[in-house]
Amino acid sequence: MTLIDAVEGQEYIIKQIMTDDEELDSFLFSLGCYSGEPVTVISHIKGGCVISIKDGRYNIDKQLASVIEVM
């Protein structure tokens, strides 16, 4: 399941980042978004979703949310 399919308000664990783009990987890592890290979808919005990782909230688009696989 990806963040697009995640239920709002429920905490998930990031399983993997499904991309071959090194720049995108390093960007997500700088946000604290990497395998084994808990993430919560705060809300789904038209262009993507608002997520909470560690102590931060981020608005990510659908394309980015679709490469983050959670369990």
Side-chain angles (χ1 to χ4, degrees), residues 18-41:
M18 302 176 296
T19 182
D20 295 328
D21 186 350
E22 292 291 325
E23 189 175 325
L24 181 57
D25 280 340
S26 63
F27 171 71
L28 289 172
F29 187 81
S30 72
L31 297 180
C33 186
Y34 46 84
S35 295
E37 191 65 32
V39 60
T40 304
V41 175

Side-chain angles (χ1 to χ4, degrees), residues 15-66:
K15 185 175 179 182
Q16 70 177 348
I17 308 296
M18 302 176 296
T19 182
D20 295 328
D21 186 350
E22 292 291 325
E23 189 175 325
L24 181 57
D25 280 340
S26 63
F27 171 71
L28 289 172
F29 187 81
S30 72
L31 297 180
C33 186
Y34 46 84
S35 295
E37 191 65 32
V39 60
T40 304
V41 175
I42 304 299
S43 65
H44 290 285
I45 54 176
K46 184 179 178 182
C49 58
V50 178
I51 61 171
S52 174
I53 300 176
K54 298 194 181 234
D55 291 332
R57 287 187 178 197
Y58 305 99
N59 183 7
I60 60 174
D61 65 9
K62 281 187 176 182
Q63 185 178 17
L64 188 54
S66 68

